[in-house]
Amino acid sequence: MTEYFETQEGRRIAYNLTPGKGPGVVFLGGFKSDMEGTKALALEDWAKREGRAFLRFDYSGHGVSDGAFEDGAIGDWFEDARDVIMAKTEGPQILVGSSMGGWISLLMSREHPEKVAGLVTIAAAPDFTEDGYWASFDKETRHKLESEGSIAVPSDYGEPYIITRRLINEGRERLVLRSPLALPFPTRFLQGTADEAVSTETAIRLLEHAEGADMRLTLVKGADHRFSDPDCLALIETALAEVLARL
């Protein structure tokens, strides 16, 4: 059953919590995605079979949470994740971050490592506002964004994404690949080689940049950014099992 939670910043976000044993698993979705996606629901089914606690939620401006997507930024969505995890879970959790959720899970790992028992990322997109969008914009596009406050960027997932000046500027305060990033717990990165949104080079950069004694990157030939076919879903479950076995 979907319930609602008000963050300490006053944003009302939707979540679904499955009770069970710990450490629990938290799914953090991607940019403009929601908690009803294939991976979130498949992981919820897995958690129920395992009798393990599981949390999925919508960031503000996403899914059925309050707010407008265009008003949000990485810091807002990190705060949403932090607040609901702190309020609705007990003890350290295993974070499963997809795409932007990978970046947010890394922020959670950096800011609150005591709350993280393990980490699985799926096509993690750390620093994508800077290294993806801003880096790809030409001079004219950058000027338009700065002067008008937003631009529309084509998307492979339907309507164009509205990229705002605040999203870019605020994202610069949340970058994780420019300073030390300690991941002192079992960590598994998953990445498809046919992913057109996040490159294999990004996954390798993250692996090389992060510091931790138990990190592995799995490259899946031919897998795309959705990483949602039966084989990929099975790999996510395998990665979770590996993390749990190391705890």
Side-chain angles (χ1 to χ4, degrees):
M1 179 184 298
T2 299
E3 299 182 79
Y4 289 86
F5 169 78
E6 185 167 315
T7 70
Q8 62 184 19
E9 292 78 25
R11 293 187 289 269
R12 184 171 177 264
I13 64 170
Y15 72 95
N16 279 70
L17 180 62
T18 300
K21 63 187 176 184
V25 175
V26 180
F27 182 77
L28 299 96
F31 191 58
K32 212 174 183 181
S33 66
D34 60 53
M35 63 175 172
E36 300 297 327
T38 302
K39 292 186 289 292
L41 296 181
L43 283 173
E44 184 175 77
D45 288 342
W46 170 87
K48 289 178 178 177
R49 294 196 304 270
E50 297 288 322
R52 189 164 298 280
F54 181 76
L55 173 67
R56 57 187 171 97
F57 65 94
D58 286 333
Y59 311 108
S60 52
H62 291 66
V64 294
S65 288
D66 288 356
F69 172 77
E70 293 80 8
D71 292 339
I74 300 301
D76 300 332
W77 301 325
F78 162 67
E79 290 166 354
D80 294 343
R82 177 199 64 200
D83 290 356
V84 73
I85 290 170
M86 292 297 195
K88 300 300 178 180
T89 68
E90 296 182 6
Q93 303 292 298
I94 299 171
L95 306 184
V96 180
S98 175
S99 192
M100 180 184 79
W103 183 1
I104 291 175
S105 69
L106 293 169
L107 286 168
M108 189 70 188
S109 299
R110 185 175 72 182
E111 303 299 327
H112 296 280
E114 77 286 351
K115 193 63 178 173
V116 184
L119 177 63
V120 176
T121 69
I122 307 158
D127 302 4
F128 76 88
T129 52
E130 189 71 14
D131 298 335
Y133 284 125
W134 184 255
S136 71
F137 294 157
D138 59 23
K139 184 176 180 180
E140 181 180 352
T141 303
R142 291 181 178 185
H143 177 73
K144 182 178 181 181
L145 177 63
E146 292 288 1
S147 60
E148 298 182 9
S150 67
I151 57 172
V153 175
S155 164
D156 293 332
Y157 302 95
E159 296 180 352
Y161 289 156
I162 303 301
I163 304 302
T164 65
R165 179 174 56 217
R166 178 173 180 255
L167 178 73
I168 298 298
N169 290 340
E170 200 278 342
R172 290 178 177 139
E173 304 300 316
R174 307 289 179 168
L175 303 176
V176 295
L177 296 178
R178 272 79 171 167
S179 57
L181 179 63
L183 302 177
F185 32 68
T187 300
R188 300 292 180 266
F189 304 125
L190 304 175
Q191 176 70 39
T193 64
D195 189 332
E196 296 183 357
V198 176
S199 67
T200 300
E201 288 74 20
T202 298
I204 294 172
R205 181 184 176 194
L206 173 58
L207 178 72
E208 292 178 340
H209 176 74
E211 300 172 2
D214 188 5
M215 286 192 299
R216 296 179 186 175
L217 166 63
T218 298
L219 298 178
V220 183
K221 188 173 179 63
D224 63 14
H225 191 63
R226 288 181 175 87
F227 212 86
S228 293
D229 66 26
D231 287 343
C232 287
L233 295 176
L235 281 171
I236 298 170
E237 292 183 11
T238 297
L240 271 170
E242 286 184 8
V243 169
L244 284 165
R246 305 288 287 184
L247 299 179

